[in-house]
Amino acid sequence: DGGITQSPKYLFRKEGQNVTLSCEQNLNHDAMYWYRQDPGQGLRLIYYSQIVNDFQKGDIAEGYSVSREKKESFPLTVTSAQKNPTAFYLCASRWLFNQPQHFGDGTRLSIL
Amino acid sequence: QKEVEQNSGPLSVPEGAIASLNCTYSDRGSQSFFWYRQYSGKSPELIMFIYSNGDKEDGRFTAQLNKASQYVSLLIRDSQPSDSATYLCAVNPNYGGSQGNLIFGKGTKLSVKP
């Protein structure tokens, strides 16, 4: 079954801790994206990658880091520098630039 | 600043009625337009996309695009309580090196009353 898998579904972060959110896709999509959604808010772009070994900052990249070593995988690390990490994190991917983005089920991150 | 504007709602319609959701965008060069449905606590799900001026129909859903007015809408015919969700409008502004990046509106919350 083709799709985008995000894990874990729920994650708790202690103060000063880095945590990594996983995103894997088997759709053979070139581009992958990370968004953050806060309650009642739209989606805000954190990072995106259009090809392997290349990624770009989005609108709210501070306190986050990513890697794109494989086409299928685009993990997001929420570092201790991100002081307000509580949010719903969504990973998306798309094939050609004009095609729709498709989303994983999301990871809900909270502070302990 | 590229923007996508939606009325936040809530938009309340009776079951069986037509729900009309509207979206305006600021970048005249935008090429592709998407509607996503997001149930509470879930991730967005693509329901329609449109590239050309005019109407595009898929079942109970119709997307309408007017590039001259920079306006895209989604009509839901025979609305059902299961259509109650937040509808996100997204636009591909197609500029510079950010081709394929979408700008999302904040969404319109639709409530269909039985």
Side-chain angles (χ1 to χ4, degrees), chain A residues 33 35 37 41-43 45 48 50 88 90 94 97-105 108, chain B residues 31-32 34 36 38 41-44 46 49 51 92 94 97-102 104 106:
Chain A
Y33 302 82
Y35 294 92
Q37 188 175 38
Q41 299 296 311
L43 302 180
L45 182 63
Y48 64 99
Q50 300 200 30
F88 189 36
L90 290 158
R94 63 151 177 85
F97 85 92
N98 219 24
Q99 295 294 306
Q101 292 182 18
H102 297 274
F103 288 84
D105 289 339
R108 206 165 289 278
Chain B
Q31 291 194 347
S32 47
F34 307 90
Y36 291 84
Q38 187 175 24
K42 302 295 186 182
S43 65
L46 178 74
F49 59 90
Y51 300 144
N92 177 358
N94 191 29
S98 302
Q99 290 186 5
N101 290 2
L102 298 181
F104 285 84
K106 292 186 177 180

Side-chain angles (χ1 to χ4, degrees), chain A residues 25-76:
Chain A
Q25 54 98 0
N26 61 4
L27 301 167
N28 200 32
H29 285 175
D30 290 310
M32 297 186 74
Y33 302 82
W34 275 105
Y35 294 92
R36 169 180 173 144
Q37 188 175 38
D38 294 281
Q41 299 296 311
L43 302 180
R44 292 187 289 169
L45 182 63
I46 305 172
Y47 268 98
Y48 64 99
S49 167
Q50 300 200 30
I51 55 172
V52 176
N53 292 322
D54 186 57
F55 49 83
Q56 308 296 330
K57 292 182 180 180
D59 300 318
I60 56 165
E62 187 172 346
Y64 300 97
S65 66
V66 293
S67 63
R68 186 89 186 275
E69 297 176 3
K70 299 186 300 180
K71 188 174 185 178
E72 304 80 18
S73 178
F74 192 40
L76 173 75

